[in-house]
Amino acid sequence: MTDINQTSGEQAEVDPWAEAMNEQAAATQSDAAKPADPVFKALEDTGGNKALARTLDMIKDIPVTMSPILGKKKMTIKELLELSPGSVVQLDAMAGSPLVIMINNYEIAKGEVVVVNEHYGIRITEILTPSERMQNLIK
């Protein structure tokens, strides 16, 4: 989107990621019927406990690996060795199903693929509750 007051010669390049984030924020604000998701809110509210706040500040810089999983396929070594450029591998996920978002190999959310200015991104559609995450650990 560009400002309607700008002339064609002075239109600045617009950041498409900022537009996507603004669109998401507008959708979140307009969805007043849905209660706020308290899944990660408790970490920020330390209740005045300075030791806990300091501990949280220390762990915030720990790097984690985020892996979006489109689907999975079990195959034999023979099938793997037969793959070549142009081979098609059928995954267990149905077309249009959400991606599974893993953090350090633990499922924490689901999302959908978005494309912004020829770059892929992920829109988080659901964050698993702590009890759902515990059930996934048992599997």
Side-chain angles (χ1 to χ4, degrees):
M1 290 183 140
T2 59
D3 187 1
I4 58 174
N5 293 330
Q6 290 179 336
T7 63
S8 60
E10 62 184 60
Q11 287 180 350
E13 187 174 316
V14 177
D15 182 9
W17 287 107
E19 279 188 31
M21 297 299 288
N22 290 338
E23 178 184 312
Q24 177 183 353
T28 303
Q29 290 173 355
S30 67
D31 194 8
K34 186 189 278 186
D37 188 8
V39 176
F40 293 113
K41 302 271 191 276
L43 287 178
E44 295 298 327
D45 181 20
T46 59
N49 185 340
K50 291 184 181 188
L52 179 58
R54 188 172 43 252
T55 302
L56 288 176
D57 286 339
M58 289 173 49
I59 67 170
K60 286 180 180 179
D61 291 331
I62 296 173
V64 296
T65 302
M66 178 178 163
S67 305
I69 307 295
L70 181 59
K72 295 180 182 178
K73 169 74 175 177
K74 284 191 176 187
M75 60 176 51
T76 63
I77 299 292
K78 178 183 176 187
E79 292 171 325
L80 179 66
L81 293 173
E82 291 172 351
L83 293 176
S84 63
S87 296
V88 176
V89 178
Q90 184 176 348
L91 302 175
D92 62 355
M94 299 292 291
S97 62
L99 297 172
V100 174
I101 300 169
M102 310 283 278
I103 300 293
N104 289 349
N105 295 324
Y106 294 102
E107 181 179 349
I108 61 117
K110 296 186 188 283
E112 60 189 15
V113 176
V114 294
V115 178
V116 178
N117 199 19
E118 298 182 19
H119 290 276
Y120 288 112
I122 301 170
R123 176 176 287 128
I124 306 292
T125 57
E126 173 187 353
I127 296 178
L128 275 60
T129 64
S131 61
E132 289 172 325
R133 283 182 260 155
M134 289 300 291
Q135 288 175 353
N136 288 337
L137 290 174
I138 296 170
K139 291 180 182 178

